[in-house]
Amino acid sequence: MRFREENSDVFVQAQLGQSVLEAALASGVRHYNICGGHARCSTCRVRVLDNPEGLFPRSALEEKMASQLNWGDEIRLACQARVKGPAVVERLVLDDVEADLVSRLGANRKASGREQNVAIMFMDLTGFTTLSEKALAYDVVHLLNSYYREVGDAILHNRGWIDKYLGDGVMALFGLQGGNPEDFCVAAARAALEGIVRVKMLSEVTKKQFGVELFLRIGIHYGVAVVGEMGHPMHMQQTAIGDAVNIAQRLESTAKDVGADVLVSNDLLEQSSGQLLVGQRGLRQLKGRGEPTEFVEVIGLARPDPVFLVRTSFVHLRPHMAGFAEKFYSRLLKDAPEMAPLFEGADVVRLNAMVAKIFGSTIGEDQTDRAEADLADLSRLHKTYGATPEHLPLIGRAFVATIREALPENTNPLILEAWEQCYANTAALMMKGLQ
């Protein structure tokens, strides 16, 4: 067997059935094998340059790794590849840096890279540069983190992945876990619309304090990207690269030019199956692309979505949260005085915590396991006070009535209906804990 090295070839005497790694080590070749030759890493892999028939077919362990890391037939795992006759190979990991990198990549399938259909979103905050010139450094950091939290919540609520922060911009991915493209494309649009509402509320603060208005511009595209763990071996993270990413970024910059809040590609619109309300359309020659790209403005959802309505209206409730619990329990006990004994001895902190759990589960996405666990805890706590399933409708009426008081007078009636529907879902889960 012959090893092709950088400056010369090394000839190795190998026994029939001996592994390539064993033969190399026995002949003094410094062949990396971080896991000790147990097919737990890929640092001993080689490329077969000539006579692949000189090696027996892949073992089950080698086949599993080759499939996981998407190897071609010419790549063999030296600790598993066994000698049948003459062959010419070259080592693919030659020093400690490469060995460390490969061991990290081999430990995680995402690192090998894969092509995947995803929705890519780019956000940019207009006005923040002016704001940073007027505000103190600590205020800038505080406001930037407030912005990150607002748009981050919008992304995470809709099952997105925050890919990276780009100054006052954000890149996010939807569909990393697979699933129906229609679902995650619409989720990306919902996250964008929710982010717009949240930043408008933040802008009210900056306009009052610094005289600067903030605007969020967003571009979203659906397409094939290369997804994987990338970066320095000590600081890798999952991200996406490719033409689809560039299109999303160009759409975001185009949104500023055409005066739109949210622009999506026609590819994303086609996946949404009529669930998005659209505005202007156009063609734009995007930088780096030969053919003009069609863009579409998204101005809302085509059909009322209770979860979306609840989340976007919650930003109007937050300024009232400090006194919400007190008003809620006052109304509850006024409408249902028979419940007063249930809350005797409950301090303000505990009452606020109960309301926070109700809010958290009501605005949660599809009632996640965490929300169910929180509601189970809340139900058990209410049960110790003597609460019964019959009390839940009374709590719901007081809850929605207090929300109605806190929201602006011109609030769309569909929003109140959405709160009632979402609370009904919450109450159904609480009912299990009270029975």
Side-chain angles (χ1 to χ4, degrees):
M1 163 164 280
R2 183 167 42 153
F3 279 78
R4 181 157 294 169
E5 300 295 299
E6 187 174 357
N7 299 316
S8 63
D9 288 355
V10 176
F11 289 87
V12 170
Q13 292 291 331
Q15 304 297 320
L16 181 66
Q18 189 177 28
S19 75
V20 173
L21 177 62
E22 290 168 343
L25 295 176
S27 299
V29 177
R30 188 169 179 260
H31 201 135
Y32 277 98
N33 57 107
I34 288 177
C35 72
H38 299 295
R40 299 292 299 275
C41 74
S42 64
T43 56
C44 73
R45 74 191 193 280
V46 296
R47 177 181 287 112
V48 182
L49 301 176
D50 192 22
N51 196 30
E53 296 80 11
L55 300 177
F56 282 101
R58 285 171 173 157
S59 67
L61 286 174
E62 185 182 4
E63 187 61 49
K64 180 180 179 182
M65 182 171 292
S67 175
Q68 180 179 349
L69 298 180
N70 199 27
W71 286 348
D73 293 338
E74 76 282 3
I75 306 299
R76 298 298 303 269
L77 196 61
C79 66
Q80 298 296 305
R82 301 204 170 271
V83 178
K84 185 167 64 171
V88 181
V89 301
E90 66 174 346
R91 293 179 296 144
L92 295 179
V93 179
L94 302 176
D95 58 33
D96 291 330
V97 173
E98 288 184 5
D100 180 63
L101 177 59
V102 171
S103 67
R104 292 174 186 275
L105 295 182
N108 191 333
R109 180 174 183 178
K110 296 175 186 173
S112 62
R114 63 193 186 276
E115 287 191 332
Q116 185 173 344
N117 287 303
V118 290
I120 307 110
M121 171 192 289
F122 277 88
M123 295 177 161
D124 183 69
L125 189 62
T126 301
F128 189 78
T129 301
T130 303
L131 178 63
S132 63
E133 294 171 352
K134 293 187 174 185
L136 297 173
Y138 288 103
D139 291 335
V140 171
V141 172
H142 172 71
L143 288 167
L144 190 58
N145 282 329
S146 297
Y147 157 66
Y148 286 152
R149 177 170 182 174
E150 295 296 345
V151 297
D153 281 348
I155 293 166
L156 297 176
H157 282 168
N158 290 284
R159 303 185 185 279
W161 167 266
I162 301 173
D163 183 292
K164 60 176 63 71
Y165 299 105
L166 306 160
D168 55 16
V170 177
M171 174 182 169
L173 303 172
F174 296 79
L176 283 180
Q177 304 306 317
N180 186 345
E182 177 184 339
D183 293 338
F184 63 75
C185 284
V186 173
R190 285 173 55 180
L193 294 168
E194 185 177 339
I196 294 294
V197 174
R198 287 170 171 269
V199 168
K200 283 181 179 177
M201 292 297 293
L202 183 62
S203 180
E204 293 297 319
V205 176
T206 60
K207 190 162 54 174
K208 183 183 298 183
Q209 294 184 356
F210 304 100
V212 177
E213 200 167 358
L214 301 177
F215 301 93
L216 191 61
R217 306 298 187 198
I218 301 172
I220 316 173
H221 173 62
Y222 168 77
V224 178
V226 177
V227 178
E229 295 282 339
M230 304 179 200
H232 186 277
M234 296 298 293
H235 191 71
M236 303 189 80
Q237 68 176 47
Q238 187 170 206
T239 187
I241 58 174
D243 190 48
V245 177
N246 296 332
I247 293 174
Q249 192 168 24
R250 303 303 181 204
L251 286 171
E252 176 264 303
S253 60
T254 302
K256 300 175 193 174
D257 298 338
V258 301
D261 291 336
V262 183
L263 285 188
V264 304
S265 64
N266 193 56
D267 297 291
L268 186 133
L269 186 67
E270 288 179 349
Q271 294 294 332
S272 70
S273 300
Q275 296 191 56
L276 304 180
L277 195 62
V278 301
Q280 62 177 306
R281 295 172 180 260
L283 284 173
R284 176 63 65 96
Q285 184 66 52
L286 301 183
K287 185 177 179 181
R289 291 187 60 79
E291 296 294 326
T293 298
E294 185 175 359
F295 64 80
V296 184
E297 180 185 17
V298 173
I299 58 178
L301 299 177
R303 293 181 291 275
D305 182 323
V307 174
F308 176 77
L309 291 173
V310 162
R311 285 179 182 160
T312 51
S313 63
F314 181 68
V315 297
H316 297 285
L317 292 174
R318 282 190 305 187
H320 305 278
M321 290 310 294
F324 188 92
E326 183 179 352
K327 292 180 180 178
F328 163 61
Y329 284 107
S330 295
R331 175 176 287 276
L332 176 62
L333 298 183
K334 179 181 178 182
D335 295 344
E338 68 276 15
M339 294 185 67
L342 273 62
F343 300 101
E344 287 182 358
D347 56 31
V348 174
V349 173
R350 183 174 295 179
L351 295 177
N352 281 333
M354 290 182 185
V355 170
K357 283 191 175 183
I358 294 175
F359 267 116
S361 59
T362 303
I363 66 176
E365 172 69 13
D366 298 332
Q367 304 300 342
T368 61
D369 293 341
R370 180 179 176 182
E372 290 188 19
D374 284 345
L375 288 173
D377 290 341
L378 187 61
S379 297
R380 284 191 288 269
L381 183 60
H382 275 69
K383 198 169 185 179
T384 62
Y385 296 154
T388 66
E390 290 72 26
H391 291 135
L392 291 177
L394 300 175
I395 293 173
R397 283 197 291 272
F399 184 66
V400 174
T402 309
I403 288 172
R404 184 184 295 110
E405 286 184 356
L407 289 173
E409 290 185 6
N410 59 347
T411 296
N412 188 330
L414 290 176
I415 292 176
L416 294 173
E417 291 179 14
W419 276 103
E420 290 173 354
Q421 183 175 336
C422 288
Y423 174 79
N425 296 336
T426 297
L429 290 172
M430 291 180 65
M431 185 80 72
K432 298 178 182 177
L434 292 176
Q435 289 174 337

